[in-house]
Amino acid sequence: LNQFLSPWCLFRRKKSDTPARSETDVAMEGMSSPSNVLRVLVGGHEGDKSEAMRRQTDWERQIENLDQKEMELHQTQLKLIREQTATFIRDLGALRLELGSLKGKQVAMEENLGFAPGKVSLTDRFAIVEKFVCDSAGKQDA
């Protein structure tokens, strides 16, 4: 029987068990029976009831404030994501235009260097560029 303690036994203390009383012991002193525990939890006194209602109102107000702040945070995050997406799309469009311009310039330069319109091997390209550099150096010396 002593092996199975009911929860209410935890609130009862024998004076011989502990020589000095802790704050917990003092707080639990009024909870020696289930009805006392229930009275403390529910708020048996009018002052306790009004205090509990005031705390509940404060908690509800804090929860509403936190909900409002959370909603504002989500709205700000969505606005930031929209702005970043718009900036990304604008920059991507600019990069596409710049890449198209560079490709056009590359084609024009390859035509000026005498590259065939098809693909030219890397060795042939080096030979053509080397020839172009030599010809340019010869023109500057003359």
Side-chain angles (χ1 to χ4, degrees):
L1 184 64
N2 288 338
Q3 294 173 348
F4 303 105
L5 296 174
S6 71
W8 306 115
C9 293
L10 298 175
F11 296 114
R12 291 188 212 145
R13 297 225 179 222
K14 294 179 184 176
K15 291 184 180 179
S16 63
D17 287 348
T18 54
R21 295 177 66 199
S22 66
E23 291 180 21
T24 307
D25 292 334
V26 173
M28 295 292 181
E29 186 175 87
M31 297 187 213
S32 60
S33 70
S35 60
N36 287 343
V37 172
L38 186 60
R39 189 175 301 121
V40 169
L41 290 175
V42 173
H45 306 292
E46 287 300 317
D48 291 342
K49 286 182 183 178
S50 64
E51 177 67 20
M53 290 179 68
R54 186 190 63 74
R55 272 192 261 144
Q56 181 179 0
T57 305
D58 288 345
W59 289 343
E60 288 173 359
R61 190 176 310 117
Q62 288 176 359
I63 289 171
E64 287 175 10
N65 288 338
L66 289 174
D67 287 343
Q68 179 67 29
K69 288 179 182 180
E70 183 182 16
M71 189 183 320
E72 290 172 5
L73 177 64
H74 287 296
Q75 289 173 350
T76 303
Q77 287 174 335
L78 287 174
K79 182 180 176 183
L80 181 62
I81 289 171
R82 277 189 231 111
E83 289 174 0
Q84 289 175 339
T85 303
T87 302
F88 175 74
I89 290 170
R90 185 180 62 243
D91 290 347
L92 183 62
L95 284 173
R96 284 182 176 171
L97 289 174
E98 191 173 334
L99 183 62
S101 173
L102 287 173
K103 284 181 178 179
K105 288 178 183 179
Q106 181 183 3
V107 168
M109 183 172 288
E110 286 178 352
E111 288 174 357
N112 287 340
L113 292 174
F115 292 154
K119 293 190 176 190
V120 179
S121 70
L122 189 60
T123 308
D124 294 339
R125 284 180 180 240
F126 280 130
I128 293 170
V129 169
E130 186 178 4
K131 181 180 179 236
F132 177 74
V133 169
C134 290
D135 291 345
S136 295
K139 290 180 183 176
Q140 287 180 357
D141 289 339

